Amino acid sequence: MASIIISTDGDRVCCQSHQKETCDVCDMDWSHHNDLAATLKNTPELTPTDNTQCTITPQIARLKERGNKQFETHHYAESVQLYTQAIQLSFSRPLWQPFAFQVVREELTALLSHRSAAYFADQNYIAAYIDGEMVTRLKRDWSTGWLRKAKALFALQRTKEAETAASMGLRFAPKSDELSTLLSDIQKTL
C-alpha cells in the first residue's frame, strides 16, 4: 500500500510519492474524502475542538491496557469486548483532522491484532482470521498480522493459505522463531 501525506496547505490527503489526491501510479483516489473533509471542516457546529484528540488517545490506551489484562488472565471474551470498544472509539476520531488517517491506521492495526489473538485464544478462529486479514491490509509489512492470519487459517484447516500467510510474514521478519515454527508445523501437515 502506498503511503499518504497531508498537503502543504493541510487540507488534502495525497499520495506521498507524487503528492496527488488522485494518482493512477499509486492507485489512490482521495478526492471524495478531500471533498467531504472540506465540507465538514467548513461546518463550525461539526468541527470538534482540539480537545477531542487529547481525550480519545488516553481512552483508547486505557481500554487496550484493560483488554491486555483480561487477556493475560484468560478472560478472552472480556478482552474482546474491551478491544472492540477501543476500535469503535478509534473510528470516532474526526478524520478531517491532520494525520488522523495515520493515527487511526496505527491504532486499528494494534487493536485488531490484539483482538485477533483474543479470538484465537477463545477458539473463535473465523473472527481471529477476519481481524488478522484486516491487520495485513492495514499494515502489509507487519509480520504480526501475518502470524495472526496464518494461525487462524491453520486452525481452520486451510493449510495451504496458512502456509502462504506464514511465508509472507517471514518475508518481513525472517528471524521470527514463532513464524518459522508455525510454518514448519503447517508444512508437516501438507
Side-chain angles (χ1 to χ4, degrees), residues 3 12 26 29 36 46 73 95 97 110 125 153-154 158 176:
S3 297
R12 295 178 300 114
C26 296
D29 184 358
L36 177 62
L46 292 179
T73 59
L95 295 180
Q97 291 182 337
Y125 303 126
L153 285 166
F154 190 43
R158 292 169 59 181
S176 169

Side-chain angles (χ1 to χ4, degrees), residues 35-160:
D35 292 343
L36 177 62
T39 302
L40 293 172
K41 193 172 187 177
N42 293 322
T43 309
E45 63 273 7
L46 292 179
T47 305
T49 64
D50 289 339
N51 292 346
T52 307
Q53 199 79 343
C54 295
T55 59
I56 290 176
T57 301
Q59 290 173 342
I60 290 171
R62 279 193 296 278
L63 287 167
K64 182 181 169 190
E65 185 179 316
R66 288 176 53 207
N68 291 346
K69 287 180 181 175
Q70 291 297 321
F71 183 85
E72 289 166 8
T73 59
H74 307 284
H75 296 103
Y76 304 121
E78 292 84 352
S79 67
V80 165
Q81 288 175 345
L82 291 162
Y83 296 139
T84 301
Q85 289 173 15
I87 289 166
Q88 291 168 344
L89 191 56
S90 181
F91 271 125
S92 74
R93 280 187 189 282
L95 295 180
W96 58 85
Q97 291 182 337
F99 299 104
F101 284 104
Q102 291 171 328
V103 171
V104 170
R105 186 176 126 201
E106 290 301 315
E107 286 172 349
L108 291 178
T109 301
L111 292 167
L112 288 167
S113 177
H114 284 10
R115 191 171 72 175
S116 177
Y119 276 135
F120 186 86
D122 206 25
Q123 298 181 350
N124 185 345
Y125 303 126
I126 293 172
Y129 163 70
I130 291 168
D131 280 356
E133 174 68 24
M134 291 309 302
V135 171
T136 62
R137 289 178 184 226
L138 286 167
K139 198 169 185 179
R140 186 170 174 76
D141 61 350
W142 193 39
S143 63
T144 302
W146 294 104
L147 173 67
R148 302 276 188 247
K149 182 177 175 177
K151 286 175 77 170
L153 285 166
F154 190 43
L156 291 167
Q157 298 178 356
R158 292 169 59 181
T159 50
K160 195 67 182 157

Side-chain angles (χ1 to χ4, degrees), residues 176-187:
S176 169
D177 291 337
E178 196 170 6
L179 276 165
S180 296
T181 301
L182 177 61
L183 183 59
S184 176
D185 292 345
I186 293 168
Q187 290 173 336

